[in-house]
Amino acid sequence: MTLLDVRTPAAALYERVRKVIPPIEWPAFEADIEAILRLKRERGAIVLAHNYQSPEIFHCVADVVGDSLALAREAAKGDAPVIVMAGVHFMAETAKLLNPSKTVLIPDPEAGCSLAESITPEDVALLRQAYPGAPVVTYVNTSAAVKAASDICCTSANALKVVESLGVPRVVMTPDEFLARNVAAQTKVEIIAWRGRCEVHEQFTAADIRELRESYPGAVVLAHPECPPEVVAEADFAGSTADMIGYVGKNRPARVALVTECSMSDNVSVQYPDIEFVRPCALCPHMKRITLGKIRRALETMRGEVTIDPAVAAPARRAVERMLAL
Ligand code: SF4
């Protein structure tokens, strides 16, 4: 039995995601996909989707996919006046920082992040008092206000490079404790870490990785650097979501485990049907607040616009652009 109406453009898109969305689930998505495709044309809008978004968003309505920084940078290249961020709030803020003249919508303003919520600008000021002279390197997974209080931003892909570019013996790294400790293991620069954690990646343990290797012999294990250092130590490779995708494309392991958010494996597996993806699964509840229905409503109503106080935007943009200049 087929549940598809193959006459619709959305139905044609099903071919892309057939492997990761069961036929019985697909009809629930079709009407929203059709509406979003139409609304994007009417509004001159593009949808940016993070690597952790569900496959029906990632593969069926997104115009640009990637990590948060790649999304913001790609959006800045185009001339679409409206950007819908299928990601969490700090990502929408970063997109707005780099696209100040465009309308940036977040389909659910409550889509937060445990890292972004772990630190405030006042905390950064206290760190500066405690460690005078040490520059503050801030992960992009933070609010614009925290970026504005920092010297330079970093991503999980370039954190080591950013730290070493400063040419100082000591830096403060916020807010991700594990990213900071994973960087500290690779550099002589002294790293002062904040105690923020990603609630998804902190769940993984070294024992999980050992069990995974026993259950799936030969699996190549790729871990995100937001995981605890002992997990990274057990992995074959550690890198950002973009680095992991790059590793899979280049090395084509027969069997691979991506130690990160659940949807990433679904999304990447669509591109590499010959590779077996083991799924050590941890869901990000914040990312999963974004649904097709909410993207559709954002485009219908143009509600959920992200704005940033100009007094905050200017220094926050400086911190991001200083990183980009590297
Ligand atoms: S996966 Fe972690 S870092 Fe990413 S949005 Fe969710 S809580 Fe934040």
Side-chain angles (χ1 to χ4, degrees):
M1 179 183 74
T2 174
L3 296 167
L4 298 179
D5 176 358
V6 291
R7 293 165 302 175
T8 66
L13 284 171
Y14 184 62
E15 290 310 313
R16 285 191 200 173
V17 290
R18 181 179 286 281
K19 203 173 149 224
V20 288
I21 299 180
I24 198 157
E25 289 181 15
W26 180 253
F29 300 136
E30 269 195 290
D32 284 334
I33 291 173
E34 293 280 353
I36 292 166
L37 297 179
R38 174 179 51 78
L39 285 160
K40 282 200 302 181
R41 284 193 299 274
E42 289 171 10
R43 302 279 193 204
I46 57 170
V47 173
L48 313 186
H50 189 265
N51 292 325
Y52 295 160
Q53 278 307 325
S54 308
E56 68 277 9
I57 295 173
F58 189 92
H59 287 290
C60 300
V61 299
D63 299 280
V64 181
V65 295
D67 60 18
S68 58
L69 194 70
L71 296 182
R73 293 176 77 169
E74 286 300 315
K77 289 182 193 163
D79 52 8
V82 178
I83 294 170
V84 180
M85 175 57 77
V88 296
H89 194 267
F90 77 80
M91 295 176 182
E93 277 195 337
T94 310
K96 181 67 181 176
L97 284 178
L98 296 180
N99 299 277
S101 63
K102 298 179 183 175
T103 301
V104 176
L105 304 176
I106 177 106
D108 186 336
E110 300 298 313
C113 168
S114 64
L115 278 174
E117 280 142 32
S118 73
I119 189 161
T120 65
E122 292 73 28
D123 295 325
V124 176
L126 289 173
L127 284 164
R128 286 195 190 277
Q129 274 177 28
Y131 301 97
V136 177
V137 176
T138 286
Y139 193 25
V140 286
N141 295 32
T142 44
S143 66
V146 167
K147 289 183 177 77
S150 308
D151 293 291
I152 186 167
C153 285
C154 72
T155 66
S156 54
N158 66 17
L160 177 65
K161 186 175 174 185
V162 168
V163 163
E164 296 200 326
S165 76
L166 297 171
V168 293
R170 180 162 82 171
V171 305
V172 172
M173 265 191 91
T174 72
D176 188 348
E177 177 193 351
F178 291 148
L179 177 65
R181 283 172 53 194
N182 285 319
V183 170
Q186 303 171 67
T187 181
K188 290 195 169 69
V189 179
E190 183 191 355
I191 309 279
I192 310 297
W194 185 248
R195 290 191 63 83
R197 304 256 177 101
C198 163
E199 67 187 82
V200 174
H201 291 96
E202 73 171 345
Q203 294 175 37
F204 296 109
T205 66
D208 291 340
I209 309 302
R210 289 193 290 272
E211 277 168 31
L212 188 151
R213 287 193 193 280
E214 269 181 41
S215 305
Y216 300 94
V220 175
V221 178
L222 314 185
H224 194 280
E226 289 169 13
C227 293
E230 54 277 19
V231 170
V232 168
E234 291 280 346
D236 298 298
F237 173 83
S240 66
T241 55
D243 291 336
M244 285 193 232
I245 295 169
Y247 183 102
V248 170
K250 186 169 165 225
N251 296 288
R252 297 293 184 108
R255 182 180 252 185
V256 68
L258 305 184
V259 183
T260 187
E261 212 273 348
C262 293
S263 291
M264 171 107 165
S265 294
D266 287 341
N267 292 333
V268 184
S269 71
V270 167
Q271 206 182 336
Y272 299 106
D274 52 322
I275 297 176
E276 181 193 353
F277 285 79
V278 178
R279 288 167 165 79
C281 204
L283 267 179
C284 175
H286 311 290
M287 286 282 180
K288 294 315 182 246
R289 292 185 79 104
I290 307 298
T291 62
L292 285 173
K294 288 179 185 174
I295 295 171
R296 176 181 180 169
R297 264 193 302 285
L299 281 165
E300 280 170 349
T301 63
M302 295 298 283
R303 293 216 185 105
E305 182 172 358
V306 174
T307 55
I308 305 173
D309 178 344
V312 169
R317 190 177 303 116
R318 255 198 312 277
V320 175
E321 287 178 345
R322 194 175 168 198
M323 167 186 71
L324 297 180
L326 286 177

